[in-house]
Amino acid sequence: MNLAIRARLTFLYCAVLGLTFVAFFWICDLGFRHSIETTVNDSSRTNLETVRRLLANTASQGDESVRAELRDLSNLWANGALLEVADTKGTWLFRSPQFLRASPSLPQLAANDIAFFTTNLDSSQYRVALGLVEVAGERFQIHAAVPTEPFDQALDRFRIIEKEALPLLVLLASFLGYWLSGKSLQPVNRIIQTAEQIGAQNLSRRLEVPEPRDELRHLTETLNAMLARIEASFQRITQFTADASHDLRTPVAVIRTTAEIALRRSRPAEEYKDALSRILLTSVETSDLLENLLTLARADAGAAGLEMLPLDLNAHLRKVQEQGAVLAADKSLSITLRTPDVPVWVRGDEIAIHRLLLILIDNAVKYTPHGGHCEIALSQNQDHAHIAVKDTGIGIPESDLDCIFERFRRADRARSRETPGAGLGLAIARWITQMHGGTISAESTLGMGSVFHIRLPVSASA
Ligand code: ADP
């Protein structure tokens, strides 16, 4: 059913209250009937007892005297109570006219006891106490009847009130339920209204937290925490876009200005060659930057599509070292590799791991002056493979060690200025390591060199 919560709550409230009222009235009815029965039983028993005392007092004075006393007693009872008394032989000593008209005769008692039953006498209902009493050696059969009509009328009146009150009470309950559920849903409506107004322009706005420490407060706080996370990601994306545009503008401007100056007048072939070489170099840097930006954008979108397969780091590092040696040749740097004698297996994407290692070796070469040294070391313990890329380069200030893994962060910009780069390499390296369930960290001494540590979980074997 597609009903609003408020309608559902009201319906539920009415149903529960309606059922409660029905159960309540049913119990009252039961109690009322029980109480009527007890009252009329008591009343007829008292009458029977009165007759017994009368017989005890007058039995010795003869039947006529007993009859007269019983008649007087019957006349004395103003509430419509009746009686009939028979002696041992079954001869009636007294019978109220209603008993006389009743047919058939009422049942007789065998033992010395009292029994109760309800019967119609002369078209009215009576509760009858039937007793067998022994007075001065003689046994008397007594029927003392009390009319139940006044009680039945009271019960009927009660039932009429019940029937009229029930729908009224349910109607009242539905109004009350509707009002109550509306009141308790008010904070939800406020949340909806505020949430509808929050957009990219005012992501810093938060939902009003309700005072009581209940589920709604918990919900609001959870939504506010979610908004804070969305705002942080939004700011990161905005910052990323701004930084990316800024870093792309410079090489594009260099290419454009170089071409414009070269074309301003005719020049010797050597000068055109110079200009084209600068344009080519800058274009290569720009396409590297674009490649890195694309990698990070794919990483953010969770669409990196890495193919995790068993990979022997030992064999792989040899290939990387060869490529590193080509990079290092220009600056007369030496690159050495230290690995164990056995294969070191991890589960990983070969292209991504290759890229990760090249980023570190490229940095080691970039930030190490001529004649320096770079060492790649691989080791393994029970559950981790450890790769350390160490150089004797310019080092990283301690204050920058934490932030160099952030996007567009370059340690000590003044010193990094001469070296090309946008500050994206280590951000990509960290992302690749995390995707492989590993960690990356750096230690460095300014002016002495740096070590980058990568730890990756090992897999059993190929
Ligand atoms: P990029 O090298 O393009 O600037 P990276 O993300 O690879 O970007 O590195 C971030 C910064 O960390 C670099 O700008 C540099 O300041 C510092 N850095 C990285 N590797 C080294 C290293 N081996 N020696 C000294 N500084 C380094």
Side-chain angles (χ1 to χ4, degrees):
M1 238 194 310
N2 219 355
L3 277 179
I5 291 183
R6 190 173 186 185
R8 264 186 282 168
L9 278 178
T10 311
F11 179 72
L12 218 78
Y13 193 74
C14 282
V16 171
L17 233 83
L19 282 175
T20 313
F21 283 141
V22 167
F24 174 73
F25 284 140
W26 182 74
I27 290 168
C28 284
D29 200 86
L30 210 73
F32 206 158
R33 273 186 288 145
H34 180 74
S35 144
I36 289 175
E37 196 178 301
T38 315
T39 311
V40 289
N41 281 359
D42 286 352
S43 177
S44 54
R45 186 190 285 112
T46 311
N47 288 358
L48 195 135
E49 190 54 31
T50 313
V51 174
R52 195 192 63 76
R53 275 203 303 274
L54 182 143
L55 287 173
N57 292 337
T58 54
S60 55
Q61 296 163 18
D63 281 358
E64 272 322 302
S65 171
V66 173
R67 281 181 217 274
E69 287 291 336
L70 285 173
R71 197 177 311 113
D72 288 351
L73 177 68
S74 161
N75 291 338
L76 218 73
W77 287 343
N79 59 355
L82 313 173
L83 76 106
E84 61 176 5
V85 181
D87 62 14
T88 321
K89 292 177 282 286
T91 315
W92 293 109
L93 296 177
F94 178 79
R95 300 192 82 187
S96 297
Q98 287 86 341
F99 276 114
L100 275 170
R101 284 197 289 269
S103 65
S105 295
L106 299 184
Q108 307 287 305
L109 250 194
N112 199 359
D113 207 353
I114 295 183
F116 296 96
F117 57 91
T118 306
T119 188
N120 260 334
L121 295 173
D122 203 16
S123 70
S124 293
Q125 212 172 50
Y126 285 83
R127 185 75 178 157
V128 183
L130 164 62
L132 195 67
V133 298
E134 222 173 284
V135 175
E138 249 200 289
R139 279 189 159 189
F140 294 93
Q141 182 91 32
I142 308 167
H143 287 148
V146 175
T148 58
E149 202 182 327
F151 299 100
D152 291 341
Q153 276 173 0
L155 184 64
D156 285 348
R157 274 198 297 276
F158 173 70
R159 283 179 177 162
I160 289 170
I161 293 171
E162 258 180 21
K163 275 194 199 120
E164 283 170 0
L166 190 68
L168 268 177
L169 284 171
V170 172
L171 198 73
L172 203 76
S174 33
F175 281 124
L176 202 73
Y178 192 70
W179 176 76
L180 265 180
S181 46
K183 204 165 162 49
S184 29
L185 286 172
Q186 247 170 26
V188 178
N189 288 334
R190 272 203 297 276
I191 293 175
I192 294 172
Q193 274 163 17
T194 319
E196 273 172 354
Q197 285 162 15
I198 297 178
Q201 323 308 323
N202 58 351
L203 260 182
S204 54
R205 211 174 144 186
R206 293 291 174 270
L207 305 170
E208 191 189 317
V209 181
E211 217 30 68
R213 298 200 154 274
D214 54 11
E215 288 84 352
L216 277 180
R217 186 185 172 119
H218 189 195
L219 173 74
T220 319
E221 284 171 346
T222 311
L223 287 176
N224 277 345
M226 188 184 79
L227 278 174
R229 286 197 299 276
I230 293 175
E231 189 189 6
S233 329
F234 193 75
Q235 268 172 2
R236 257 187 51 205
I237 293 167
T238 318
Q239 187 65 42
F240 181 63
T241 318
D243 288 345
S245 337
H246 176 266
D247 278 39
L248 278 171
R249 199 181 299 137
T250 318
V252 171
V254 169
I255 292 170
R256 185 180 165 172
T257 323
T258 313
E260 275 174 358
I261 292 172
L263 290 173
R264 208 165 277 164
R265 58 181 170 80
S266 46
R267 296 168 188 278
E270 204 54 35
E271 280 185 32
Y272 284 125
K273 208 173 151 194
D274 274 358
L276 282 174
S277 305
R278 203 169 320 135
I279 288 174
L280 180 65
L281 188 74
T282 319
S283 311
V284 171
E285 278 172 24
T286 314
S287 62
D288 284 351
L289 174 62
L290 280 171
E291 179 66 26
N292 285 345
L293 286 173
L294 213 65
T295 305
L296 288 170
R298 279 205 202 103
D300 284 344
L306 300 183
E307 201 183 351
M308 301 299 196
L309 294 172
L311 178 75
D312 175 14
L313 280 180
N314 204 335
H316 194 77
L317 274 173
R318 262 180 263 284
K319 284 191 232 164
V320 180
Q321 186 208 11
E322 278 167 26
Q323 257 182 292
V326 177
L327 292 174
D330 274 358
K331 291 174 86 176
S332 354
L333 298 180
S334 61
I335 296 192
T336 54
L337 175 66
R338 243 180 342 111
T339 55
D341 297 330
V342 286
V344 175
W345 291 102
V346 293
R347 274 189 78 77
D349 181 289
E350 188 172 352
I351 298 172
I353 295 278
H354 191 82
R355 189 162 185 195
L356 160 70
L357 295 168
L358 266 190
I359 288 170
L360 297 187
I361 294 168
D362 184 43
N363 277 352
V365 172
K366 261 198 311 193
Y367 299 107
T368 304
H370 279 262
H373 178 68
C374 171
E375 183 190 80
I376 308 165
L378 173 67
S379 58
Q380 178 185 9
N381 68 15
Q382 251 189 347
D383 45 24
H384 277 97
H386 174 212
I387 305 166
V389 180
K390 189 174 171 187
D391 64 56
T392 55
I394 58 173
I396 304 161
E398 201 170 340
S399 56
D400 288 333
L401 272 178
D402 281 340
C403 66
I404 50 171
F405 294 98
E406 307 281 324
R407 296 171 186 191
F408 297 104
R409 288 299 189 90
R410 307 195 74 197
D412 192 355
R413 276 190 171 253
R415 289 182 321 119
S416 305
R417 200 168 292 150
E418 315 87 62
T419 42
L424 293 176
L426 289 181
I428 294 174
R430 182 176 64 172
W431 170 72
I432 294 174
T433 322
Q434 282 170 351
M435 291 302 284
H436 286 78
T439 57
I440 185 166
S441 59
E443 339 170 37
S444 184
T445 313
L446 210 53
M448 302 289 284
S450 319
V451 196
F452 283 82
H453 301 279
I454 299 169
R455 287 180 180 82
L456 297 173
V458 284
S459 72
S461 70

